[in-house]
Amino acid sequence: MSKEELKKVSDSKTIKKVKKGEPLFEEGEKLNGVFCVRDGVSKLSKLSANGKDQIVKLATKGEVLGQRSVIAEECTNLSAIAVNDMEVCFIPKESINNTLQSNPNFTLEVLRHMAHDLKEADDVIVNMSQKTVKQRIAEAFLYLKNNFGEDEDGFLALTLSREDISNVVGTATESAIRIISEFKKKGFIHTSGKKVGITNERKLAELVEGF
Amino acid sequence: MSKEELKKVSDSKTIKKVKKGEPLFEEGEKLNGVFCVRDGVSKLSKLSANGKDQIVKLATKGEVLGQRSVIAEECTNLSAIAVNDMEVCFIPKESINNTLQSNPNFTLEVLRHMAHDLKEADDVIVNMSQKTVKQRIAEAFLYLKNNFGEDEDGFLALTLSREDISNVVGTATESAIRIISEFKKKGFIHTSGKKVGITNERKLAELVEGF
DNA sequence: GTTAAAACATGACATTTATCAGTTCTTGTT
DNA sequence: AACAAGAACTGATAAATGTCATGTTTTAAC
């Protein structure tokens, strides 16, 4: 397995703590290694021409950041910023390249993983261009529930600011806030401060599908 | 090089002709091989919930279709339809898998290529979510010029229907047509039937950048 | 605890985009 | 050449989304 292989490598490497809001790396940098998330969540985002960030991915425990840039030998096109306090380990690119050279199964495993990611990217493109903001926000909440779970009080375990939510779905912050209010009024979700809990998952799912 | 390797393999395999409008494969199919484009152009699209196609990529000579599904061992998430008459060759998945197993350099090359594609996918996501329809259409024309060139009369060598253009940028056909008319009126482009030529590349580029 | 800054929220309005309903132009066929 | 079918186009209007302005709540620092 890719993750196990990676873990084996990573266990021998440097561990680093990153505080909430701090960057692991920023758009345009040349990375000399990859980061493996041991704890916490990082948002991967890209600055658009109009000055807004677009969040492309939320990476959590076990995920690897920066491997695409290292493998393609290009500067990174994304910034990685900690959404909450994180613990990551750093694996220098020499180590990655060695493993890629010497361990064909590892390479193949990484390849499979990337092929899968590419298919997911297609889905994101379709969602972004064919779904309304309302649908994308509903989908984002379902995604957060499925991927990060809920806390003991029934709120989404990963709390994002309204601005981050708007940057995930690609809309104005005010629009996102308005739709969140609407969902609350309709009883799809409940909130407490910036925390959001899903009240009616079925309704949200129906909305995503276009009802 | 990936392409040379692939060509070597592909030369020994079956060649197939596909007429304009015909599918190479359709969304949801399990592919038992990949297609290498020898001539013509194919659109890779995905049907969205609202019944509209989103074109995710236009593949031309030298490009390979279906490798992601074969590598990830999943059903394809895209349909591939010929935009004009095509000639493709088919490479069975056993052949691909053999090469992946036996030729680590080939695998690494494919991996590099995919890493690059993934970065491009990020750009598309940002474009789709942060740019206006007008900007995306301008960008599409520049893309067509850069990737497919122009004919002897100064028209884009690849002629897409208005509907295809709207499916590339993710908008309603009428909206695309309206914006094309506007561009024509402003002297950014000129048209003849469904053919489009770029008159003022600079203006289009500025528009994309947000002026 | 107080306080300033940041985040959240809402209203009013402008802009963009989609939808529907037609008309005109092209194209391929007979 | 006539014709039918599909594509391209246009107008009117509705719906979605963005922007600006402003007030309220939350958060974090002292």
Side-chain angles (χ1 to χ4, degrees), chain B residues 131-134 136 170-172 174-175 178:
Chain B
K131 290 191 172 149
T132 65
V133 174
K134 213 171 285 186
R136 281 180 270 154
T171 191
E174 296 96 320
S175 298
R178 245 180 269 277

Side-chain angles (χ1 to χ4, degrees), chain A residues 2-209:
Chain A
S2 173
K3 279 188 185 169
E4 284 160 18
E5 294 269 4
L6 227 23
K7 201 162 190 189
K8 196 167 57 181
V9 183
S10 74
D11 282 339
S12 64
K13 301 301 167 186
T14 35
I15 291 182
K16 194 179 159 187
K17 285 185 188 285
V18 184
K19 285 241 176 72
K20 175 178 175 176
E22 285 179 359
L24 274 85
F25 53 80
E26 297 199 81
E27 206 173 328
E29 274 182 31
K30 202 172 60 191
L31 302 183
N32 40 25
V34 304
F35 297 90
C36 185
V37 181
R38 300 181 81 88
D39 199 29
V41 176
S42 171
K43 57 179 174 183
L44 288 161
S45 66
K46 189 167 174 9
L47 197 64
S48 71
N50 62 39
K52 295 191 60 174
D53 273 324
Q54 174 68 36
I55 296 179
V56 166
K57 188 178 169 62
L58 293 166
T60 184
K61 192 191 281 196
E63 295 197 80
V64 181
L65 309 180
Q67 80 272 44
R68 305 207 304 258
S69 306
V70 167
I71 288 170
E73 292 168 331
E74 299 169 346
C75 291
T76 177
N77 57 332
L78 302 173
S79 297
I81 295 175
V83 172
N84 43 36
D85 290 351
M86 297 183 72
E87 198 179 294
V88 301
C89 60
F90 178 78
I91 307 167
K93 70 173 173 212
E94 293 74 28
S95 175
I96 301 288
N97 284 330
N98 277 344
T99 314
L100 286 174
Q101 296 286 346
S102 62
N103 189 339
N105 284 333
F106 172 75
T107 309
L108 194 50
E109 217 33 70
V110 175
L111 182 59
R112 290 228 166 86
H113 199 263
M114 278 208 188
H116 179 80
D117 282 354
L118 256 175
K119 288 183 59 177
E120 284 197 339
D122 290 337
D123 290 336
V124 174
I125 291 170
V126 175
N127 280 342
M128 283 297 178
S129 50
Q130 303 282 0
K131 289 194 174 148
T132 65
V133 174
K134 213 173 283 186
Q135 290 176 307
R136 282 180 270 154
I137 290 184
E139 194 162 45
F141 285 143
L142 296 176
Y143 170 84
L144 290 175
K145 178 174 175 184
N146 291 333
N147 286 272
F148 301 94
E150 298 174 322
D151 65 16
E152 56 280 359
D153 302 318
F155 290 106
L156 294 171
L158 180 64
T159 301
L160 294 177
S161 71
R162 301 295 193 250
E163 190 181 0
D164 278 344
I165 292 174
S166 75
N167 288 344
V168 167
V169 302
T171 192
T173 307
E174 297 96 320
S175 298
I177 288 174
R178 242 180 271 277
I179 289 168
I180 290 170
S181 298
E182 188 191 327
F183 283 178
K184 196 161 64 172
K185 216 166 282 169
K186 287 186 176 166
F188 298 171
I189 62 174
H190 50 105
T191 67
S192 169
K194 58 177 56 173
K195 282 190 292 187
V196 173
I198 293 180
T199 315
N200 194 333
E201 187 164 351
R202 167 184 301 262
K203 281 282 189 185
L204 283 179
E206 282 179 3
L207 207 167
V208 172
E209 296 308 320

